[in-house]
Amino acid sequence: MKTKRLLFINVLLVALILCLSISASYAFDTNMDGWTSAGNGVWEVKEDGLYATNNNGNSLAKSNVVIDGTKSFIYEVTAEFTGHGFGIAFGVVDNENFTAVEINTEGLIYCPRRVNNEWSLWAKDFKPLPGGVDGSDGYILKFVFDAVDKSAYIFVNGQLAETITDINVDLIKGNLGLQTEVSDAVVTKATYTEVESINLFETNISGWTSAGSGSWEKKNIGLLANNNGGNNLCKTDLVIDGTKSFEYEVTGVFPGHGFGIAFGVVDDENFTAVEINTEGKLYCPRRVNNEWSLWANDFKDLPEGVNGTDGYTIKFVFDAEEKSAEIYVDGILADTISDIDIELIKGNVGLMTEHSDVIVTKAVFIDLSVEPSPPPTEENVETGDYTGSNIVLLLMIMMTALSALIVFKVKIAEKA
């Protein structure tokens, strides 16, 4: 009898831990509380998300998070919706008084505002969503607000969809929330994070300047180039001589014809490049006194699976000993170049566009001749933040240990 009672208690413990692990996997991911309906819509927090019911109009939810426009922050939401529109909301009072950023099933993003139910646009006009964003796997909206510049960067599914400058902070002050327009919605993530500053451009290279007739500007969002109707070059303070192996990795989003990395940059009439374009090609153009040629392999199709939905990442890996290079696009080997004449790549490292705007969010150069840092040890590894999937893993380990303990206890009891 004692053995059965002991076994029953431990089975209950295992069941409890299992339930906790399941709920950790599927819980509504939010660090915001106080979610309530604001107006005549119906919003309900359930185990796996925040649910909105179509009320044939604007339906607003608000949280207890209040902003005043003096602090930089990131507001990120993941949702699926079946009707017309869905968005994030600011200054929420009710469904007749709010400011929003909305996307709809017509493939548009816009910034509606209602005051006493009077509709207007508080920022830019209707704009198409970035290419490849179709909502088949839901939408991820990220609103990045820079309190210093009074500007915001809006991402949809990882792609920059809109930039708003000179924001009147009175328009976004108040309670953060969510909004639907003639739609049901299920929100599985809604997180608010205050940050000291906004800097989305990852680089270890300095001296970014325009090199020629084009315009390049380093901003918190990244390095921005404007289409000048031709080749647009940017160069840096970084100079290479071809005697050291290196990696040069760049991530960019461009809507026009072409974008690439550049070497030996003088201006837009004198450079060596590796370029990709929206026709799905990779090639290696070079200009000397504006005379165009290919300095390496001919035009080549980009690898299967590379489509630019989330931008493109180009990595150029140069082997100084072999005088060769491997070119990766989105982590996939796209081309190799052998017997490189290093005179062609000597000089300032940079970037280029061809008939296109671009936003570069990463530009990192690694000197491979430098010895790497030693591997982590017990002394220099920081303790992880056990949240999300880590919690589930920890609970599963605990379950395994507990199961072993149960077997051990039962055997001891049987012997007693």
Side-chain angles (χ1 to χ4, degrees):
M1 190 68 178
K2 182 178 179 182
T3 300
K4 290 182 178 180
R5 188 184 300 115
L6 181 62
L7 181 59
F8 177 72
I9 291 172
N10 284 289
V11 168
L12 285 178
L13 288 173
V14 172
L16 176 61
I17 292 175
L18 182 59
C19 289
L20 288 172
S21 65
I22 292 174
S23 64
S25 299
Y26 298 100
F28 174 34
D29 182 7
T30 186
N31 59 356
M32 306 163 67
D33 59 14
W35 288 105
T36 57
S37 300
N40 58 8
V42 177
W43 293 76
E44 184 180 4
V45 176
K46 297 183 179 180
E47 183 181 76
D48 57 348
L50 179 63
Y51 283 70
T53 303
N54 183 355
N55 73 334
N56 294 317
N58 290 300
S59 178
L60 272 289
K62 69 176 177 180
S63 71
N64 286 342
V65 176
V66 177
I67 62 172
D68 62 7
T70 63
K71 296 178 180 178
S72 299
F73 66 85
I74 299 172
Y75 183 26
E76 183 172 350
V77 171
T78 301
E80 295 181 4
F81 65 99
T82 55
H84 179 70
F86 169 81
I88 55 177
F90 308 89
V92 177
V93 179
D94 52 33
N95 56 298
E96 296 185 353
N97 296 273
F98 63 90
T99 299
V101 174
E102 183 176 350
I103 56 177
N104 66 24
T105 47
E106 297 173 6
L108 298 173
I109 181 169
Y110 46 106
C111 301
R113 174 171 164 81
R114 283 187 181 268
V115 178
N116 297 327
N117 212 27
E118 290 293 322
W119 188 93
S120 64
L121 288 172
W122 67 277
K124 297 182 180 179
D125 207 344
F126 290 73
K127 184 177 180 180
L129 289 171
V133 176
D134 59 7
S136 57
D137 297 319
Y139 295 90
I140 301 174
L141 279 170
K142 183 189 288 186
F143 186 93
V144 181
F145 176 70
D146 188 329
V148 176
D149 291 343
K150 299 295 184 289
S151 58
Y153 310 104
I154 304 166
F155 296 82
V156 181
N157 291 6
Q159 296 190 63
L160 183 66
E162 186 63 284
T163 301
I164 306 173
T165 58
D166 301 319
I167 294 174
N168 177 359
V169 296
D170 286 329
L171 301 182
I172 63 172
K173 282 182 179 179
N175 293 78
L176 286 186
L178 298 166
Q179 172 250 351
T180 64
E181 183 180 357
V182 195
S183 182
D184 294 335
V186 180
V187 182
T188 53
K189 179 179 181 178
T191 57
Y192 170 81
T193 308
E194 289 183 0
V195 292
E196 289 294 325
S197 61
I198 301 297
N199 185 6
L200 302 180
F201 181 33
E202 179 187 352
T203 187
N204 60 354
I205 307 171
S206 61
W208 296 98
T209 56
S210 300
S213 61
S215 170
W216 292 77
E217 186 178 6
K218 185 179 177 183
K219 304 192 76 172
N220 292 339
I221 184 62
L223 188 64
L224 280 64
N226 293 321
N227 183 358
N228 71 334
N231 292 300
N232 187 358
L233 270 290
C234 175
K235 70 177 179 180
T236 70
D237 292 339
L238 177 63
V239 177
I240 60 172
D241 61 7
T243 63
K244 296 179 181 180
S245 298
F246 66 84
E247 287 183 5
Y248 182 30
E249 184 171 352
V250 171
T251 299
V253 178
F254 65 100
H257 179 70
F259 164 71
I261 56 177
F263 304 98
V265 178
V266 178
D267 52 33
D268 48 19
E269 296 184 353
N270 296 274
F271 63 90
T272 299
V274 174
E275 183 176 352
I276 57 177
N277 67 24
T278 46
E279 297 173 4
K281 300 294 184 180
L282 168 73
Y283 46 106
C284 301
R286 174 171 164 81
R287 283 187 180 270
V288 178
N289 297 326
N290 212 27
E291 290 292 321
W292 188 93
S293 65
L294 289 173
W295 67 276
N297 302 348
D298 206 346
F299 288 75
K300 188 171 183 179
D301 291 334
L302 289 173
E304 185 177 350
V306 175
N307 56 24
T309 300
D310 298 317
Y312 295 89
T313 298
I314 305 170
K315 181 162 70 172
F316 187 92
V317 183
F318 176 69
D319 186 323
E321 184 176 348
E322 298 292 334
K323 301 293 185 289
S324 63
E326 295 178 339
I327 303 168
Y328 296 82
V329 181
D330 292 352
I332 305 171
L333 182 64
D335 204 357
T336 57
I337 305 173
S338 56
D339 300 322
I340 294 175
D341 178 358
I342 61 173
E343 296 297 326
L344 301 182
I345 63 171
K346 279 184 178 180
N348 294 79
V349 171
L351 297 166
M352 61 86 64
T353 68
E354 183 179 357
H355 296 281
S356 185
D357 297 336
V358 70
I359 299 173
V360 181
T361 54
K362 179 179 181 179
V364 173
F365 182 90
I366 301 174
D367 184 346
L368 297 179
S369 67
V370 177
E371 289 294 324
S373 302
T377 64
E378 291 183 2
E379 287 74 24
N380 61 24
V381 173
E382 295 183 0
T383 303
D385 179 13
Y386 290 98
T387 58
S389 60
N390 288 334
I391 292 177
V392 176
L393 178 61
L394 182 61
L395 290 172
M396 296 302 292
I397 294 171
M398 292 170 60
M399 286 171 59
T400 303
L402 185 56
S403 298
L405 181 61
I406 290 170
V407 173
F408 176 74
K409 285 185 176 181
V410 169
K411 288 183 177 180
I412 295 295
E414 287 175 346
K415 289 180 179 180

